[in-house]
Amino acid sequence: MSAQVAVILPIALPLATMAVLVLAWKSIPAQKIIGVGGSTLLLISAAALWWQVDRNDILVLQVGNWPAPFGITLVADRLSAIMVLLAGLMVFAVSVYSLVTIDDRRVEFGFHPLVQLLLMGVCGAFLTGDLFNLYVWFEVMLIASFVLLTLGGERGQLEGAIKYVTLNLISSAVFLAAIGVIYAATGTLNMADLALKLRSFPDEGIVSVLAMLFLIAFGTKAAVFPLFFWLPASYHTPPVAVSAIFAGLLTKVGVYSLIRTFTLMFVTDLDFTHNLLLLIAGLTMVTGVLGAMAQSEIRRILSFHIVSQIGYMLMGLALFTPLALAGSVFYIIHHIVVKTNLFLIGGVVERHCGTGRLAETGGLSGSAPVLATLFFLSAMSLAGIPPLSGFFAKLTLIQGGLEAERYAIVAAALGVSLLTMFSMTKIWAEVFWKPAPEEALPEACGEPHSMTDRFSLYGPILLLATFTVGIGLMAGPVMKASLATARQLLDQDAYIQAVLPNSRLPESEAGAADSNADVGPLAGQRPAAQESPQSPRGGTVE
Amino acid sequence: MDIILAITVGGLYAAGIYMMLRRSVVKLLIGLGLLSHAANLLIFTAGGVIRGRVPVVPAGEMQPLETIADPLPQALILTAIVISFAVLAFALVLIYRTCQTLGTDDLDQLKATDT
């Protein structure tokens, strides 16, 4: 029983923390202490979840004890557990960082409760096993991110928020429509049940339409090639702590959903769906990095690099071999840590120099050597220089690509790597290497003052940089975990069995006949509402 | 009935997208509202429209005797309506603040954060 509790804790803890934070609304010190405390608890519970999943394979919690296709199911497999663990780590780092960087006015208006709400949505999305529930978690996450993005009400924030809100709402509308159509077609919204029913779905065309609807919905959230415009327009506008947590987690929820749906549900027509994904992955990489090259402000450059790196994560999914998928998982682990850290470092630079525009900064390698070292480590890791984490992530992906004989995508990945290196060296040269511009005030480009300030600014950066180096130096265990995750993702039967213990997989003849009969009104003549206990939720229980 | 609903859904999508392509922020918001209505109606229609068969199992029976209306799409729509209500309320405040701060409601003028 205790194993099942671990599944709900990453959702329940942020909710509880948020409730306590709202009760302590008036006191700024209380907000800060409870915020960091809640994030620490989340990190601990995420570690406990990972430990449990590592021992028990797939953990399933049927909420309210309603059996699988009827109730809401929470599922924690390796991928979910890794994502939750990373989310816990990021929110811990960012909430320590926010102690100094987020001004009191923003704390007064509920910065910390909103971060917890965001985390509840993110963890919920990682853990749910039900499509409509996923939609609800997306919305929880979105509304929290809307408020965090606009909190403070500066000109740039409001303008960026209009684009962010609009494009995310459009993608939610597409997601909702996709849910409606998939329910009509199959009579279920439980992912495991869907995986079972889509295997033997009679109409290939409808499955393809569904796959495309989900690709558009999740692709917008993940910021893939033609749908990424909201990201560079908005991510550089809010305070750095907010940018950093968005950069680390939000697009990755989209990537997670793509991986989940395109390894579990839409695997019947690989030629079409996964080749399209591969094309998108390549174009995402290239456009993202080219966009970054044209920028001249730290956070804008980093925002475009998020887009570029989403391409790498999709590359592994599109190749769809165990090795390539493991590369994707490794890349996600590496990317979340490094990207969040680069944003945090960018924030310290902006604090030192009063701006993030490259032309107006400079000389930090002399005045802030520790920061320079930490930036160098993270930037080289992003570009993929051994022995840092990015190298092994890219190596695995490229190995996967060569193994699958997809040379074009391998070439694109290597080329984009080189260009990433180019923009990282550009930041390095402009911000750290060149002498400080003359008109800059001498005290503006100095160190932060008090000891606690320094701890709060540098502590999280140091922590994440340690992880970057650590992942690189201990690539073996991380690779092993990634490979185990990839194998688990490709073993759909195990997932279905864990969620629906009584299901008959369509290998057996009776099972095949049954799932054929179970499909809903778009395929047959019968409305979705009544069938055997396995079929639609809200139908009859015998 | 299905046909009429299907045409309505299509009309709502078309109107929503048309509104979103206009330059005014207010029309953008109306467009978003229409899109979410279209999605809701799509779920309703796709779930199967059955008239006057309540999904209640008669006393003493273990399952309904005849084809019943599926209550689940309506539960989904209800949830979606609540969510889109909250989100649209937020978006209304957002465009109000934006118009106040930036002094324009023309989307073509909002390009300072673009790249």
Side-chain angles (χ1 to χ4, degrees):
Chain A
M1 193 57 223
S2 68
Q4 265 73 38
V5 174
V7 181
I8 193 104
L9 275 183
I11 300 172
L13 278 175
L15 181 65
T17 314
M18 184 175 67
V20 177
L21 279 167
V22 172
L23 289 177
W25 189 261
K26 299 261 159 157
S27 160
I28 290 176
Q31 291 279 318
K32 290 182 172 177
I33 295 168
I34 301 169
V36 175
S39 306
T40 318
L41 283 180
L42 177 64
L43 178 57
I44 295 169
S45 75
L49 177 67
W50 165 251
W51 185 68
Q52 288 285 359
V53 168
D54 204 34
R55 283 177 38 191
N56 299 339
D57 245 26
I58 299 178
L59 287 179
V60 177
L61 177 71
Q62 311 286 4
V63 178
N65 228 0
W66 288 89
F70 304 108
I72 288 169
T73 315
L74 296 180
V75 188
D77 65 354
R78 283 169 190 277
L79 181 65
S80 314
I82 288 178
M83 299 303 282
V84 171
L85 185 58
L86 288 167
L89 186 63
M90 290 316 115
V91 76
F92 174 70
V94 169
S95 59
V96 173
Y97 187 86
S98 69
L99 291 180
V100 177
T101 53
I102 296 293
D103 49 284
D104 284 355
R105 234 183 120 58
R106 285 194 167 93
V107 176
E108 254 172 24
F109 279 96
F111 171 80
H112 287 284
L114 285 164
V115 170
Q116 298 296 328
L117 181 67
L118 183 79
L119 257 287
M120 181 170 90
V122 169
C123 291
F126 289 151
L127 288 170
T128 186
D130 182 285
L131 271 183
F132 193 76
N133 201 226
L134 182 64
Y135 168 77
V136 174
W137 289 125
F138 263 97
E139 295 298 312
V140 170
M141 183 183 91
L142 277 184
I143 193 83
S145 70
F146 292 167
V147 184
L148 277 175
L149 190 65
T150 47
L151 197 63
E154 289 162 17
R155 291 177 71 97
Q157 282 186 301
L158 291 171
E159 214 183 300
I162 290 226
K163 294 152 196 169
Y164 179 85
V165 169
T166 309
L167 285 169
N168 274 294
L169 287 187
I170 294 173
S171 108
S172 291
V174 175
F175 188 10
L176 196 60
I179 287 174
V181 179
I182 206 167
Y183 180 74
T186 61
T188 180
L189 288 172
N190 184 291
M191 291 189 204
D193 205 19
L194 276 171
L196 204 59
K197 292 200 170 125
L198 287 176
R199 276 184 194 182
S200 49
F201 197 76
D203 192 338
E204 283 269 311
I206 287 180
V207 179
S208 294
V209 169
L210 284 170
M212 289 309 103
L213 280 172
F214 281 106
L215 182 62
I216 292 171
F218 296 145
T220 312
K221 313 258 182 206
V224 300
F225 163 59
L227 309 165
F228 65 80
F229 295 99
W230 56 271
L231 194 152
S234 63
Y235 267 28
H236 59 91
T237 58
V240 178
V242 177
S243 282
I245 195 109
F246 281 18
L249 295 178
L250 293 196
T251 44
K252 263 51 76 182
V253 177
V255 174
Y256 165 85
S257 310
L258 279 175
I259 293 182
R260 181 63 77 212
T261 43
F262 282 87
T263 55
L264 184 66
M265 287 153 50
F266 302 115
V267 288
T268 44
D269 191 7
L270 288 179
D271 268 355
F272 173 60
T273 52
H274 287 62
N275 277 341
L276 182 66
L277 274 173
L278 197 65
L279 182 72
I280 291 174
L283 288 171
T284 309
M285 276 180 210
V286 174
T287 43
V289 86
L290 291 180
M293 287 171 70
Q295 296 302 315
S296 58
E297 205 185 310
I298 297 179
R299 278 201 275 167
R300 289 187 193 229
I301 297 179
L302 293 175
S303 302
F304 267 107
H305 274 295
I306 300 178
V307 176
S308 165
Q309 276 137 17
I310 298 293
Y312 284 94
M313 299 170 201
L314 287 189
M315 173 182 163
L317 170 66
L319 292 170
F320 211 58
T321 61
L323 186 66
L325 256 180
S328 276
V329 175
F330 201 130
Y331 204 94
I332 292 174
I333 299 173
H334 141 77
H335 169 91
I336 292 180
V337 174
V338 168
K339 185 55 81 181
T340 309
N341 206 15
L342 281 172
F343 268 90
L344 295 182
I345 294 169
V348 180
V349 170
E350 284 179 21
R351 216 177 147 78
H352 276 220
C353 302
T355 175
R357 279 186 291 278
L358 295 180
E360 295 165 36
T361 57
L364 282 183
S365 62
S367 59
V370 179
L371 187 69
T373 318
L374 292 171
F375 173 80
F376 189 76
L377 278 177
S378 303
M380 290 305 110
S381 176
L382 192 76
I385 300 294
L388 299 161
S389 56
F391 169 71
F392 295 99
K394 283 183 183 166
L395 181 72
T396 318
L397 277 173
I398 283 164
Q399 246 181 320
L402 289 176
E403 218 173 61
E405 299 181 350
R406 298 302 187 94
Y407 300 113
I409 192 82
V410 171
L414 289 173
V416 169
S417 238
L418 203 64
L419 296 177
T420 309
M421 184 75 183
F422 166 80
S423 21
M424 288 301 119
T425 44
K426 183 164 97 182
I427 300 182
W428 171 257
E430 293 277 333
V431 176
F432 295 96
W433 209 237
K434 80 165 190 229
E438 304 222 330
E439 63 270 28
L441 298 167
E443 70 269 63
C445 274
E447 288 277 296
H449 307 293
S450 75
M451 220 30 223
T452 39
D453 278 17
R454 271 193 211 192
F455 173 76
S456 155
L457 283 176
Y458 284 105
I461 297 177
L462 205 61
L463 175 77
L464 296 184
T466 315
F467 268 91
T468 308
V469 179
I471 293 171
L473 294 181
M474 296 194 298
V478 182
M479 190 63 225
K480 227 168 99 186
S482 306
L483 265 176
T485 309
R487 289 212 191 88
Q488 196 178 49
L489 283 173
L490 291 173
D491 185 8
Q492 291 95 358
D493 289 353
Y495 186 95
I496 296 168
Q497 278 291 332
V499 177
L500 305 160
N502 299 321
S503 69
R504 286 151 296 170
L505 294 174
E507 271 83 44
S508 66
E509 280 171 31
D514 194 43
S515 21
N516 259 331
D518 266 2
V519 293
L522 279 194
Q525 57 297 83
R526 191 181 32 74
Q530 19 126 6
E531 226 351 280
S532 68
Q534 276 193 37
S535 138
R537 312 172 332 156
T540 50
V541 191
E542 288 171 5
Chain B
M1 192 61 193
D2 283 4
I3 297 290
I4 299 170
L5 282 172
I7 292 171
T8 316
V9 171
L12 279 172
Y13 270 119
I17 289 166
Y18 174 73
M19 289 304 261
M20 296 183 70
L21 293 175
R22 308 289 295 274
R23 279 168 63 177
S24 154
V25 183
V26 180
K27 285 175 182 153
L28 174 80
L29 196 67
I30 296 172
L32 278 176
L34 289 177
L35 270 197
S36 73
H37 291 329
N40 288 337
L41 203 56
L42 174 69
I43 299 180
F44 181 71
T45 315
V49 183
I50 295 171
R51 198 188 175 112
R53 310 253 183 85
V54 285
V56 175
V57 181
E61 298 288 337
M62 289 308 282
Q63 51 182 349
L65 303 172
E66 52 183 347
T67 309
I68 53 166
D70 186 354
L72 188 81
Q74 291 164 39
L76 300 184
I77 295 168
L78 194 61
T79 317
I81 287 175
V82 174
I83 292 173
S84 71
F85 166 72
V87 171
L88 282 179
F90 174 82
L92 262 178
V93 179
L94 174 68
I95 62 164
Y96 180 68
R97 275 294 294 277
T98 312
C99 292
Q100 242 183 359
T101 313
L102 302 174
T104 177
D105 75 332
D106 183 353
L107 285 169
D108 278 4
Q109 305 297 318
L110 304 181
K111 30 186 192 197
T113 69
D114 278 347
T115 40

